[in-house]
Amino acid sequence: QERCEAQEKTYRMRYDFYNVERCEPAIIDKWALNEVAQRSKGRINVKYYWMGALHKTGEHWAACRDGLSEITFINFGYYMPQTPISRGVEWSWKKGASDPEIHMRMMNKLYDEFPEWQQEYEKDNLHVLWFTNWSSAFFNFKKPYPTVDSIKGLRIRAYGVASDALKAVGAVPMPIAAPEIYTSLERGVVDALLMVPVGFSLSSHMDTVVPYVVDGGYGVCGPSAVVMNKKLWDSLPADLKQIFVDIKKELVDGKWVEVLQAFENDCVDQMVKRGAKFQKWDDAEIEKARNIVQPMEVDRWIQEMEKLGFKDAKKFQQRAEELLAQSGPSKFVPPHVYYQQKYGDK
Amino acid sequence: MSANEPKSVVVNETYQKIISPLRFIALASIALLGVSTAADVIKRLSTGWPIGGVMQLSECLMVVMVFLGIAYAQANRRHIRVTIALSRMKPRKVVILDILSCAIQITVLVFLAWKTLEEGIWSCSILEYRVGDIRLPIYWARMLIPIGTIALIGQLLIDIWIDIDRLRGRAPLDLPDVRAIQEIV
Amino acid sequence: MVDPYTAVFITIGWIFLMIFVGLPIYATLLTAGLIGLTITEGFGFALGQLKSMPYVHTAEYTLVVVPMFVLMGHLAFSAGLSRDAYQIGRKWLSRFPAGLGLATILGCGAFAAACGSSVATAATIGRVAIPEMNELGYDKKISTGTVAAGGTLGILIPPSIILVFYGTITETSVGACLLAGILPGILSVFIFMLGLTFLAWRNPSLVPAPETYTWKERFSSLKGFWGIGVLFVIVMGGLYGGIATVSETAALGAMAAFLMMVIANRGNMGFAKQKLVEALSETLNTVAMIFLVLIGSYVYSYFITLCGVPEAVNQWVAGLHVAPWIVVVCFLLFLMVLGGFLDPFSILVITLPIMHPVIVDTLGYSSLWLAVIATILIEIGCITPPVGLNVYVIAGIAPDVPMEDIFAGAAWFVLFQAVVVAILMIFPKIATWLPSVVV
Ligand code: NA
Ligand code: NA
């Protein structure tokens, strides 16, 4: 009888997102959760809150933990003290990690292999539905800066691990608060941005001040987890849980990149109309940056983790590398490639 | 202290002394905020490099000044309220409403202190820090919130006591902030 | 559980009741939000809101401007900048009819460039200007009304706490909001002066005969300009010249005002130290008050958001089929009515969560334009009865003038401000042009 009741119950779920509705991970999550709602035949009802309408950046972890929202988006970069192990997959210029689809697949597989990582979320009453990211992280410049040496001394807005990496290659990382980015660029307090996906450039009009969108081979932007309040997850009947599991599998198997690609191509088209240019650093330059930053960045993380008592930190990185190598090929067409194909050498 | 001062007023004076370290730290944090932020700009303009961690420190200093300052602001009766109706009422009625007002504030602040204490303890347990160009621990700032809130609750309790003495004729009936104009935004 | 709309009406009733009995605004909004959340989502849910929200909404880098601008205003006053600003206006403008009144408006406009508060601007200029105007034989309605109204320039011309809050609450660039206030601020100064001249022309008995000063006196008064000038250059340079963020600009301004205060005290360090502690203490009072109100307002607007009120109002407005400007005017009239009873700060935190999405996101008006218009309407609230903060503060400075007379004098300026609003409705570029110009 109890089971019967659970099956009749309608679950109202608030999805809490800190950024705009039209950006890479939001488009993907919205596809996924709409699909969940549809397949549940109305037993799951998702209400979306964009732009931090429900909770502000920095509050989402605690809010979902305490049941103030049911599903939320955790960009590790904003919850570093809570997510030390998760940060092990946040890399700068890491070999083989720059493709967003491959990176996403790797995270979703790696998570199942390390109970310590799972604990990171579960001890705070959070259940990971799937891992995702903000697609490729690009530089946004006012004019082309084609080499590592050319960005020396350049003031670049960045946060988290990107700050350390930029410092290592000689740039000046500036932690500018999000609402002030645009005017800081306009007025020259910062010269450039790093860790900006094309969807964000477009929606925030960044491309009108920094029109050169340059793939410096940095890697993916904002690896993140989409999580559900664990108490709620545990209370869901098995068939509803299965819907989430199925959706995750479909994302990993190709839906993720399909939704992402359609969105980013559309963004590139609109940005081209406003005068944006898409470029990529030569492989030699990317290699040069990599040699400065890696393996120092990974080693530092391993050291830190071992200090925190995560003994398998080294194994974690090794497995991550193996999974990166196994997770191809990717169907993802980077913006600059799409740009070249469609608009040629104009 | 004069002999005819009611006990509540005497206790209030003592309480001001007890919480004066909070006020002092809050004042210092305003000054530090100005100096560190200005120094950061000057260093960046002259050397091209910012001082690490000023932004994260600034955020913490905001928490320090606000929550260590709320009891002080109440002691000066500076938490803004609309006095249009009060200023037309009989003083006794005003004092009774003031007791009600303090009691409502205490009720809600007790919950605030309890919940922010819970969060502060959690923050301490993970040694929470804020990320930027350096890692700045912030758990200490989280703990200041319940501390400041409790200090404000203490002030409000004393204010109720003084109000009761006003009703008993042991203190002047006029409330300091009902007819006076204070600077606000 | 109560349905959301019933809950919203219950909380609105609670807010009015609590405001009436004199519960502080922070506690009014906080309790209203918690009651609303409790009856719609449950008590545990409501309490959950209190956990991390107070920290997150205080440890906010963009709000660093608030203590810094407040401190700058207090230090600028201690440095005697208000007196200097007034003297310049007096020496240069007093040969015109209502010259001293014009000087007062100009002095308010100049001091507004150092002070982010309306009440503080009125109080500081008023202490100098009212006795001098009365001595010359100005009608007391005019002398007090001019200062009360001139003070409102303090929150339009940057720095401005109100514009900072508007930017923070609506996630509009704070720097752009501050820049947007400059031209409308100058326009207001101009319209006020024009209006006062018109009054003097229609009714010469209101103002005494002009006084004259020599050119030498005029030019020598200009040496008093350097203090205001330096602060103006720092704030404008910071906002516009690209050397610093808004928060950094505010800190630089505060430090500069501190140095001026030390210099003005001619190296008397004991006195300077005492003035510094006073300024810091006043800043602490204001900052603690403001942030507690902000926290209360966040809890209440969280409840409002959860109930879907902004969406409902949006849909309702969209279904009205009236011209967008009529909707805007209705909102502005509502602001004016609130301005009769509430302080500028509370008006902003109560109305913006609903007004901003409708006017900006749905009707497509510029957020910067709304920032300026809302600020002016809030200014009007500062000089209209029954609650007019600027009038109250002037009544404190000029105890011999009945409150009704001050309100009557200020009423002329409400008319002038309506002219400014009309001009801005017709030429919105006056507000949006300056922030749009890229250096
Ligand atoms: Na001002
Ligand atoms: Na009013």
Side-chain angles (χ1 to χ4, degrees):
Chain A
Q1 171 145 27
E2 206 175 50
R3 219 175 129 245
C4 239
E5 253 170 49
Q7 279 181 349
E8 287 315 305
K9 192 176 167 190
T10 313
Y11 293 88
R12 185 196 55 172
M13 298 187 183
R14 285 167 291 218
Y15 172 83
D16 199 1
F17 189 68
Y18 67 101
N19 216 306
V20 292
E21 185 175 355
R22 284 193 59 74
C23 65
E24 284 83 349
I27 295 276
I28 295 167
D29 284 352
K30 203 172 164 184
W31 174 85
L33 294 173
N34 280 345
E35 201 68 17
V36 167
Q38 208 178 5
R39 291 185 198 179
S40 76
K41 301 205 171 60
R43 285 161 61 206
I44 291 175
N45 184 343
V46 184
K47 190 157 166 36
Y48 299 93
Y49 293 89
W50 310 109
M51 281 305 291
L54 206 51
H55 297 98
K56 246 178 74 164
T57 310
E59 277 186 302
H60 289 88
W61 179 281
C64 195
R65 176 197 68 192
D66 299 338
L68 302 181
S69 66
E70 283 72 27
I71 303 175
T72 201
F73 184 92
I74 298 296
N75 180 343
F76 314 148
Y78 292 115
Y79 303 92
M80 284 196 172
Q82 293 95 320
T83 58
I85 298 179
S86 306
R87 276 164 36 225
V89 294
E90 271 191 326
W91 298 300
S92 316
W93 285 291
K94 168 91 175 165
K95 200 170 175 59
S98 65
D99 182 282
E101 188 187 23
I102 290 178
H103 192 284
M104 178 274 303
R105 279 190 188 144
M106 176 277 300
M107 279 196 288
N108 279 302
K109 289 179 200 158
L110 189 64
Y111 184 72
D112 294 336
E113 297 182 12
F114 286 86
E116 295 94 333
W117 194 7
Q118 296 158 17
Q119 263 309 300
E120 204 161 270
Y121 295 89
E122 296 192 348
K123 75 168 165 31
D124 262 349
N125 194 29
L126 299 173
H127 170 83
V128 174
L129 294 175
W130 51 75
F131 285 94
T132 183
N133 63 59
W134 279 80
S135 191
S136 297
F138 299 133
F139 285 111
N140 286 43
F141 293 131
K142 288 181 177 168
K143 57 184 174 90
Y145 289 89
T147 64
V148 179
D149 287 332
S150 68
I151 64 166
K152 282 212 166 109
L154 205 64
R155 291 166 300 173
I156 304 177
R157 191 263 176 178
Y159 56 88
V161 283
S163 285
D164 296 336
L166 283 176
K167 244 187 235 172
V169 298
V172 185
M174 298 267 294
I176 302 283
E180 297 298 332
I181 298 177
Y182 187 85
T183 40
S184 298
L185 277 169
E186 253 187 341
R187 299 178 206 299
V189 177
V190 282
D191 308 308
L193 312 174
L194 174 59
M195 297 275 270
V196 176
V198 289
F200 180 72
S201 295
L202 180 76
S203 66
S204 57
H205 294 254
M206 292 301 165
D207 58 321
T208 59
V209 234
V210 275
Y212 287 86
V213 182
V214 179
D215 184 350
Y218 173 82
V220 303
C221 183
S224 306
V226 179
V227 302
M228 182 186 279
N229 179 288
K230 189 168 179 303
K231 219 171 125 193
L232 173 67
W233 171 259
D234 292 340
S235 76
L236 288 182
D239 62 325
L240 289 184
K241 279 184 185 164
Q242 191 57 43
I243 295 176
F244 282 99
V245 174
D246 292 345
I247 292 285
K248 174 185 169 181
K249 187 167 182 309
E250 286 170 37
L251 287 173
V252 172
D253 291 346
K255 203 68 200 179
W256 190 89
V257 75
E258 186 190 315
V259 177
L260 173 75
Q261 192 75 59
F263 173 70
E264 287 209 329
N265 288 354
D266 180 47
C267 291
V268 171
D269 289 338
Q270 291 188 52
M271 285 161 77
V272 167
K273 275 186 210 138
R274 297 204 300 221
K277 301 269 183 287
F278 294 81
Q279 303 175 340
K280 184 175 188 287
W281 279 2
D282 288 340
D283 289 345
E285 287 301 323
I286 295 172
E287 196 62 34
K288 193 173 165 187
R290 175 172 305 139
N291 289 334
I292 298 169
V293 176
Q294 299 293 356
M296 183 183 75
E297 187 186 78
V298 165
D299 290 345
R300 194 188 291 163
W301 179 83
I302 292 174
Q303 263 179 11
E304 249 176 58
M305 284 305 105
E306 285 175 346
K307 241 192 280 171
L308 284 177
F310 179 39
K311 291 188 191 64
D312 288 339
K314 212 166 193 168
K315 196 177 136 205
F316 181 94
Q317 290 292 337
Q318 280 165 1
R319 269 308 283 161
E321 274 178 26
E322 287 166 19
L323 285 171
L324 283 174
Q326 294 164 13
S327 295
S330 165
K331 287 212 186 92
F332 181 66
V333 181
H336 66 91
V337 174
Y338 171 76
Y339 173 77
Q340 277 298 324
Q341 286 169 355
K342 187 160 177 185
Y343 300 94
D345 270 318
K346 270 179 262 174
Chain B
M1 278 169 234
S2 64
N4 55 4
E5 256 183 356
K7 210 170 166 191
S8 58
V9 174
V10 178
V11 168
N12 187 33
E13 280 161 11
T14 316
Y15 190 69
Q16 297 312 311
K17 279 181 200 136
I18 294 169
I19 63 167
S20 70
L22 302 188
R23 171 179 165 242
F24 178 78
I25 297 169
L27 293 182
S29 69
I30 298 175
L32 182 58
L33 180 66
V35 172
S36 64
T37 309
D40 185 34
V41 189
I42 291 164
K43 176 158 183 280
R44 197 179 64 230
L45 292 181
S46 52
T47 68
W49 290 83
I51 302 174
V54 166
M55 180 178 162
Q56 298 100 290
L57 178 69
S58 303
E59 293 182 346
C60 287
L61 290 176
M62 298 287 285
V63 178
V64 176
M65 71 181 76
V66 169
F67 286 95
L68 297 191
I70 51 178
Y72 174 66
Q74 172 60 23
N76 294 326
R77 293 266 175 179
R78 292 292 286 267
H79 288 295
I80 186 170
R81 57 183 184 151
V82 176
T83 52
I84 176 174
L86 299 185
S87 60
R88 285 162 177 73
M89 289 177 196
K90 291 221 169 69
R92 278 191 81 80
K93 222 171 174 182
V94 173
V95 173
I96 292 169
L97 285 178
D98 193 60
I99 292 174
L100 175 73
S101 155
C102 289
I104 294 174
Q105 290 180 70
I106 290 168
T107 313
V108 71
L109 289 170
V110 165
F111 288 120
L112 187 73
W114 167 29
K115 286 291 153 183
T116 53
L117 181 65
E118 258 183 36
E119 193 69 5
I121 291 169
W122 174 77
S123 176
C124 288
S125 76
I126 61 165
L127 295 179
E128 192 179 9
Y129 57 86
R130 165 78 161 82
V131 190
D133 35 5
I134 63 158
R135 275 185 193 188
L136 191 81
I138 59 165
Y139 51 88
W140 57 275
R142 290 238 194 219
M143 281 309 282
L144 293 181
I145 299 179
I147 292 173
T149 307
I150 290 166
L152 174 54
I153 293 171
Q155 183 64 53
L156 287 162
L157 285 170
I158 293 172
D159 286 347
I160 289 183
W161 191 6
I162 297 175
D163 278 345
I164 292 170
D165 276 343
R166 289 184 213 276
L167 292 178
R168 287 177 172 173
R170 294 179 193 159
L173 257 182
D174 262 349
L175 278 178
D177 68 333
V178 169
R179 282 168 192 82
I181 300 305
Q182 286 150 343
E183 183 200 317
I184 38 168
V185 283
Chain C
M1 294 286 117
V2 178
D3 85 280
Y5 293 120
T6 313
V8 169
F9 282 111
I10 292 174
T11 60
I12 289 175
W14 172 262
I15 287 175
F16 276 104
L17 180 67
M18 287 302 113
I19 282 178
F20 181 80
V21 302
L23 187 66
I25 299 292
Y26 88 88
T28 303
L29 294 172
L30 195 55
T31 49
L34 291 177
I35 290 170
L37 289 171
T38 301
I39 60 182
T40 52
E41 302 278 341
F43 191 50
F45 184 92
L47 287 190
Q49 254 314 294
L50 298 179
K51 274 184 148 180
S52 74
M53 182 275 308
Y55 180 86
V56 175
H57 288 290
T58 318
E60 161 85 55
Y61 184 68
T62 47
L63 292 178
V64 166
V65 269
V66 175
M68 291 300 104
F69 275 162
V70 174
L71 181 62
M72 180 169 129
H74 285 300
L75 290 169
F77 170 65
S78 298
L81 299 191
S82 47
R83 189 190 54 225
D84 294 346
Y86 180 65
Q87 285 308 327
I88 301 170
R90 174 170 198 172
K91 299 278 153 63
W92 284 83
L93 293 172
S94 55
R95 58 181 293 269
F96 298 105
L100 210 48
L102 301 185
T104 302
I105 293 167
L106 206 63
C108 285
F111 189 66
C115 175
S117 149
S118 171
V119 174
T121 305
T124 42
I125 297 292
R127 275 186 206 113
V128 195
I130 292 173
E132 299 210 21
M133 281 196 279
N134 288 351
E135 198 178 309
L136 268 181
Y138 270 75
D139 184 282
K140 284 185 179 164
K141 284 196 199 84
I142 291 293
S143 64
T144 51
T146 303
V147 181
T152 64
L153 296 167
I155 54 174
L156 192 54
I157 295 171
S160 158
I161 305 294
I162 291 297
L163 286 172
V164 169
F165 269 101
Y166 179 94
T168 312
I169 295 172
T170 64
E171 300 199 329
T172 310
S173 161
V174 170
C177 287
L178 291 170
L179 284 171
I182 296 176
L183 291 182
I186 294 171
L187 176 71
S188 301
V189 171
F190 184 71
I191 299 280
F192 282 9
M193 287 170 68
L194 214 62
L196 191 61
T197 310
F198 174 78
L199 282 184
W201 173 66
R202 284 294 303 270
N203 190 352
S205 71
L206 290 176
V207 296
E211 26 165 29
T212 48
Y213 290 95
T214 63
W215 283 103
K216 197 179 157 219
E217 284 173 307
R218 284 180 190 155
F219 278 105
S220 78
S221 76
L222 287 182
K223 70 179 191 301
F225 181 71
W226 74 273
I228 293 283
V230 166
L231 289 186
F232 188 75
V233 167
I234 288 175
V235 173
M236 289 305 127
L239 291 180
Y240 217 66
I243 58 160
T245 64
V246 186
S247 305
E248 291 167 347
T249 298
L252 285 177
M255 290 303 109
F258 170 68
L259 289 181
M260 283 169 203
M261 191 269 286
V262 171
I263 293 168
N265 288 306
R266 307 248 181 263
N268 180 347
M269 285 321 279
F271 195 61
K273 201 178 138 199
Q274 184 199 333
K275 289 278 176 200
L276 176 65
V277 172
E278 273 173 31
L280 287 172
S281 301
E282 278 307 303
T283 306
L284 182 59
N285 276 323
T286 309
V287 168
M289 178 279 284
I290 286 177
F291 276 82
L292 224 43
V293 174
L294 254 193
I295 287 167
S297 87
Y298 273 117
V299 173
Y300 189 65
S301 51
Y302 178 86
F303 160 68
I304 292 280
T305 307
L306 211 59
C307 289
V309 171
E311 295 155 46
V313 173
N314 251 323
Q315 276 167 12
W316 179 71
V317 167
L320 281 182
H321 301 294
V322 294
W325 71 269
I326 295 178
V327 178
V328 174
V329 168
C330 289
F331 270 113
L332 297 185
L333 288 176
F334 182 58
L335 277 185
M336 244 184 99
V337 172
L338 282 185
F341 302 91
L342 298 177
D343 62 284
F345 190 63
S346 310
I347 297 174
L348 217 51
V349 294
I350 290 171
T351 59
L352 275 184
I354 293 171
M355 186 172 74
H356 190 266
V358 174
I359 294 184
V360 175
D361 302 338
T362 307
L363 301 180
Y365 283 84
S366 155
S367 182
L368 296 174
W369 176 82
L370 180 61
V372 170
I373 293 279
T375 304
I376 295 175
L377 266 296
I378 285 169
E379 279 180 3
I380 293 178
C382 292
I383 53 174
T384 50
V387 178
L389 292 170
N390 284 23
V391 171
Y392 288 3
V393 82
I394 296 305
I397 296 170
D400 56 319
V401 187
M403 190 93 83
E404 297 78 47
D405 282 3
I406 309 177
F407 275 121
W412 286 108
F413 289 86
V414 174
L415 212 65
F416 304 156
Q417 255 157 343
V419 173
V420 176
V421 171
I423 293 175
L424 283 168
M425 296 277 298
I426 300 166
F427 305 105
K429 281 242 156 173
I430 297 172
T432 58
W433 177 73
L434 202 50
S436 73
V437 183
V438 181
V439 178

